Amino acid sequence: MKHNPNKFPIVPLFCIFLLGPFVLCQLDYKFYDTTCPNLTKIVRYVVCSAIANDTRMAASLSRLHFHECIVNGCDGSLLLDDTSTFKGEKNAGGNRNSIRGYEVIDTIKANLEKACPSTVSCTDIVALAVREAVYLAGGPYWPLSLGRRDGVTASDKAAIEQIPSPFESLEKIIAKFTSKGLDIKDVVVLSGAHTIGFAQCFTFKQRLFDFDGSGNPDPTLDASLLQNLQTMCPNQDNSDTNLAPLDPVTTTKFDNIYYKNLVNNSGLLQSDQALMGDNRTAAMVMNYSKYPFLFSKDFGESMVKLSNLGVLTGQDGEIRKNCRMVN
């Protein structure tokens, strides 16, 4: 029998009465079709302009989305500014002087408030913006159901505890993902977002000069890459915020070269190269290094899972008028 997406008389009632707490029933691909028909075009225009102005922005939006959703779910909490009575997530360790792209979200929100006031949540804006950013960088485009609402709180403590760090062991990183309902495959796939963007030298400098307190470089790091990185990140404090590309081969192109780099011992972050040190994850890395279409497909699927973590729907939360503050 041919499926007609417009014929849904029974399912919504079934969802409401039997599956109330399950979020996917209340997220909908057509959520804003009548209330904000130009939503996708408006998001695309702003993201496109931002990337044209700064190619790093694609990676920055991807990271903003991940740090937003991995802490207590996708609720726009990372976007909230600190106030005299409220300490948010922007200045937590993994975010301070590191997360970029807030102004892109602000611009999208301002344009949407003109086109369809008090309608589209900041949380949905972030999920839509990262999809456009990845696509514009050459990556996949995934189906995105909408209807997330914005939270009214944030947690500095949760951000410190829950955001994976490049200094942590693979086991610890996997544990942080699985605690959210993601799995080991999502760890490998979402790490592939490091196919674009840059890292600050302090996040990997110990691999260049004093690996595990040995006084020597990481012996697994490719020799020519090591030389290049030591030039970019000399062994002195004032180089800590210098930038090095996560994928030096195709720095601004979203592709599967990140995985080829790992196979060649050329991962920048220790937490990335660690994926080759565990049989479970190494097998997936090998697969993605050979099959770019498989990576694209799986990345889209993992992004859908990520963007559905702990979302607020229905009457929960609110639709912020300004993404930086609760109404």
Side-chain angles (χ1 to χ4, degrees):
M1 186 175 136
K2 198 172 174 209
H3 171 65
N4 180 345
N6 298 317
K7 289 185 88 173
F8 269 121
I10 299 161
V11 177
L13 290 173
F14 181 74
C15 281
I16 291 160
F17 294 126
L18 295 185
L19 300 176
F22 289 92
V23 72
L24 291 178
C25 296
Q26 290 158 16
L27 293 181
D28 183 356
Y29 294 109
K30 301 185 169 197
F31 193 85
Y32 298 109
D33 280 11
T34 52
T35 55
C36 198
N38 290 324
L39 169 60
T40 309
K41 279 185 199 151
I42 291 168
V43 173
R44 183 170 301 157
Y45 175 77
V46 175
V47 172
C48 194
S49 304
I51 293 172
N53 188 42
D54 172 10
T55 51
R56 279 178 67 200
M57 195 47 72
S60 297
L61 289 169
S62 171
R63 190 151 177 269
L64 185 153
H65 176 254
F66 177 74
H67 282 221
E68 209 287 282
C69 290
I70 208 72
V71 179
N72 296 340
C74 309
D75 58 0
S77 57
L78 175 54
L79 306 174
L80 293 171
D81 283 341
D82 290 358
T83 67
S84 55
T85 56
F86 168 81
K87 194 163 168 30
E89 295 166 22
K90 282 187 175 176
N91 288 304
N95 297 331
R96 188 176 57 250
N97 299 327
S98 172
I99 293 291
R100 307 165 71 242
Y102 298 118
E103 67 290 339
V104 178
I105 304 304
D106 291 339
T107 304
I108 296 169
K109 183 61 175 170
N111 290 359
L112 287 171
E113 285 302 302
K114 288 182 198 137
C116 28
S118 301
T119 302
V120 183
S121 69
C122 299
T123 312
D124 273 344
I125 289 170
V126 172
L128 287 161
V130 69
R131 178 176 68 165
E132 295 300 331
V134 167
Y135 182 68
L136 289 166
Y141 195 81
W142 51 92
L144 191 60
S145 51
L146 299 164
R148 295 165 192 77
R149 288 169 66 85
D150 297 320
V152 294
T153 184
S155 171
D156 171 67
K157 181 173 179 285
I160 292 165
E161 290 169 358
Q162 296 172 22
I163 294 170
S165 153
F167 305 111
E168 287 179 319
S169 69
L170 181 58
E171 278 309 318
K172 247 188 165 167
I173 291 169
I174 291 170
K176 286 185 174 182
F177 273 68
T178 52
S179 74
K180 302 292 174 185
L182 299 170
D183 58 32
I184 193 164
K185 181 180 175 185
D186 298 312
V187 174
V188 180
V189 173
L190 293 172
S191 294
H194 289 168
T195 174
I196 52 175
F198 291 77
Q200 295 184 57
C201 289
F202 81 88
T203 60
F204 58 86
K205 204 195 274 184
Q206 83 289 347
R207 296 187 73 199
L208 311 183
F209 302 103
D210 188 21
F211 181 64
D212 278 352
S214 65
N216 295 307
D218 182 343
T220 63
L221 190 57
D222 175 79
S224 62
L225 178 63
L226 173 64
Q227 265 189 316
N228 289 344
L229 291 173
Q230 286 176 331
T231 307
M232 278 186 235
C233 305
N235 195 14
Q236 52 208 45
D237 289 348
N238 66 0
S239 74
D240 278 0
T241 56
N242 291 0
L243 296 172
L246 286 156
D247 167 12
V249 184
T250 54
T251 303
T252 58
K253 188 170 189 302
F254 198 99
D255 54 25
N256 71 325
I257 303 292
Y258 162 83
Y259 296 104
K260 295 188 179 192
N261 294 341
L262 296 187
V263 172
N264 296 324
N265 290 319
S266 298
L268 184 65
L269 302 178
Q270 195 175 332
S271 53
D272 285 335
Q273 194 57 52
L275 296 172
M276 285 303 289
D278 180 301
N279 290 338
R280 299 166 299 171
T281 53
M284 292 184 232
V285 170
M286 294 297 288
N287 258 343
Y288 294 135
S289 74
K290 291 179 200 153
Y291 305 114
F293 292 108
L294 179 67
F295 168 53
S296 281
K297 178 185 81 70
D298 287 354
F299 188 81
E301 288 173 8
S302 285
M303 286 298 280
V304 169
K305 282 174 77 173
L306 178 65
S307 65
N308 288 338
L309 292 182
V311 303
L312 304 170
T313 58
Q315 296 305 304
D316 293 335
E318 63 180 21
I319 305 297
R320 279 182 218 152
K321 290 178 168 47
N322 175 342
C323 294
R324 292 173 180 266
M325 59 186 74
V326 297
N327 293 343

